[in-house]
Amino acid sequence: MQTASTTATQSACASAPGKVILFGEHAVVYGEPAVAAALSDLRIFVLVTTTNTQSLHVEMLDLPEPIDVRMDAERIVCSLESLQAPPTKACAERIRNLLVGFSNNDLNVEALTPLIYLIRQLLPVSMIQSGLDVRVRSRDLPLGAGLGSSAAFSVACAAALVKLASQSETLGRPDPMYFEQIDQYAFYSEILLHGTPSGIDNAVSARGGALLYTKKKDGDSQMESIPNLPDMHLMVVDTKVPRSTRELVAGVRALYDRHPSVIRPILQSMGEIATSFVKNGVSDVLTLVNVNHLLLRAVGVSHATLDEICETVARVAPNQAAAKLTGAGGGGCAFVLFRPDLEGREYVMQRISKSLQYKCFSSSVGGDGVLWLSPDKFPVTEEKDSSIWNERYSLLAATATVAALSWLLLRRSR
Ligand code: MEV
């Protein structure tokens, strides 16, 4: 084993964006085309540093159940020899069995499984043995809400680890020779997280921009980038209803297996919507949004909150905007799309967001995919720190005001 104190530490940092599926989620799992675009302002950042501590320290503080664990590096190396690529169920089980020894929280084990897999597959053994510090942060990307946070996590982790292993000095888009490896391993990580992903989420998070994506029968995929995504104005609505992509995808599969001749045409219609959007652009796009939502509802992946959002938009802004769920559904997020030639869009947006009791925000669509960054670009925890400061400052100010008022009252009463 390497002796700790003699080795200089190295760091690698990467970030990857969330995504919005405009048309064709779920159908894409069955080989239908789907359209997805990156949400390049909403990103996951990963910083990996070698430490010479012989342990693996992982910090993911933005999760609903924050993770801050330390694991013995030698145990990871010894217990997880020859993991399969792509990962099998048995391989996931081996990693989970190891992790339950470090954490008794199921959610933590689920989030750590793909990370441990990627570390074991992408880094040389000597680098793992000497110790690592892994930090993950999300910038504005709602987690587990259908906006591709898990794919962004997978892509950013794979990218940071590949950068560390290769010692590439490149910043910005990773070198082409490493890009394929990052995308491939991000897909493996998605298998561990979701079971049978189509690959659309990691594809768009890695590449950025917008894609017409089709998963082929042989497991390969066909991707057509949509260079000039029509000028679209999206508002995202977060219901904050938690859901599991794995369970929703499995639910559609069970329905499909029971009634293939009924469900297949519904999925094919969703594929037709995606193709028609790419062919015809935004003309009559509101109809496509409405119909796609109703088809998703028909295969059982909507939720009362998502239907309520669509109905409210139809009532408050008829012929001006339309809404549909995005991603796996079952809660999470919906998006609202506005008629491209609509005048006074800001006003309509305000009217809609006032009628909904959910968090609404707008985000630009398209933009950068995965990026290799200099380690000092890893976001610091300033929002949390500043809110603590604000709380402390307010408390101090309130105490001072009470003291000043008491002093004035005392003087008056004398
Ligand atoms: C999830 O973002 C999209 C789904 O179509 C699943 C997948 O494509 O892997 C629901």
Side-chain angles (χ1 to χ4, degrees), residues 32-303:
E32 294 299 328
V35 179
L39 293 171
S40 58
D41 301 337
L42 314 181
R43 304 182 77 85
I44 300 282
F45 289 74
V46 175
L47 176 66
V48 189
T49 309
T50 57
T51 57
N52 303 321
T53 56
Q54 286 81 47
S55 65
L56 170 62
H57 174 230
V58 182
E59 216 182 79
M60 300 190 209
L61 300 182
D62 299 317
L63 288 176
E65 306 260 354
I67 293 178
D68 188 347
V69 282
R70 195 170 282 283
M71 296 166 261
D72 179 44
E74 190 62 27
R75 253 180 86 189
I76 291 170
V77 168
C78 296
S79 327
L80 301 176
E81 269 183 85
S82 358
L83 293 174
Q84 292 91 345
T88 56
K89 276 199 177 137
C91 161
E93 213 41 50
R94 277 175 68 197
I95 305 176
R96 283 196 189 108
N97 288 342
L98 174 71
L99 284 172
V100 287
F102 294 118
S103 168
N104 53 10
N105 180 325
D106 284 352
L107 286 177
N108 288 2
V109 168
E110 181 137 333
L112 288 168
T113 300
L115 175 66
I116 300 296
Y117 177 80
L118 293 176
I119 288 175
R120 194 63 184 84
Q121 295 292 71
L122 294 171
L123 292 186
V125 164
S126 60
M127 207 175 236
I128 305 174
Q129 282 170 327
S130 64
L132 290 170
D133 184 88
V134 181
R135 280 156 209 259
V136 182
R137 296 246 33 193
S138 131
R139 198 183 65 196
D140 302 330
L141 180 60
L143 305 180
L147 297 184
S149 57
S150 76
F153 167 73
S154 300
V155 173
C157 283
L161 293 167
V162 167
K163 185 164 176 36
L164 189 66
S166 66
Q167 308 206 345
S168 166
E169 302 272 309
T170 302
L171 293 178
R173 191 181 157 97
D175 304 319
M177 61 183 291
Y178 296 121
F179 183 87
E180 290 308 318
Q181 191 190 15
I182 292 169
D183 192 29
Q184 180 79 83
Y185 275 89
F187 179 63
Y188 294 163
S189 166
E190 284 283 274
I191 293 178
L192 287 166
L193 284 162
H194 300 311
T196 52
S198 65
I200 189 172
D201 291 6
N202 57 283
V204 77
S205 176
R207 286 163 187 78
L211 289 180
L212 178 68
Y213 179 97
T214 314
K215 178 184 148 190
K216 293 204 287 197
K217 282 222 168 67
D218 58 6
D220 219 351
S221 55
Q222 187 180 317
M223 285 174 242
E224 205 180 294
S225 98
I226 310 172
N228 304 314
L229 193 69
D231 188 17
M232 292 199 308
H233 304 283
L234 268 192
M235 182 167 89
V236 179
V237 187
D238 188 357
T239 66
K240 296 226 180 338
V241 174
R243 52 354 140 255
S244 148
T245 299
R246 185 192 283 271
E247 282 165 22
L248 287 151
V249 170
V252 177
R253 173 64 64 190
L255 188 63
Y256 181 92
D257 289 345
R258 280 205 312 280
H259 302 285
S261 57
V262 175
I263 302 303
R264 195 179 303 115
I266 300 179
L267 300 170
Q268 283 166 342
S269 284
M270 295 192 212
E272 289 298 329
I273 291 177
T275 326
S276 162
F277 170 72
V278 174
K279 225 191 270 166
N280 304 323
V282 285
S283 86
D284 209 18
V285 70
L286 301 190
T287 304
L288 298 182
V289 171
N290 283 327
V291 175
N292 198 161
H293 180 79
L294 293 171
L295 293 171
L296 287 162
R297 198 171 163 180
V299 296
V301 296
S302 192
H303 184 269

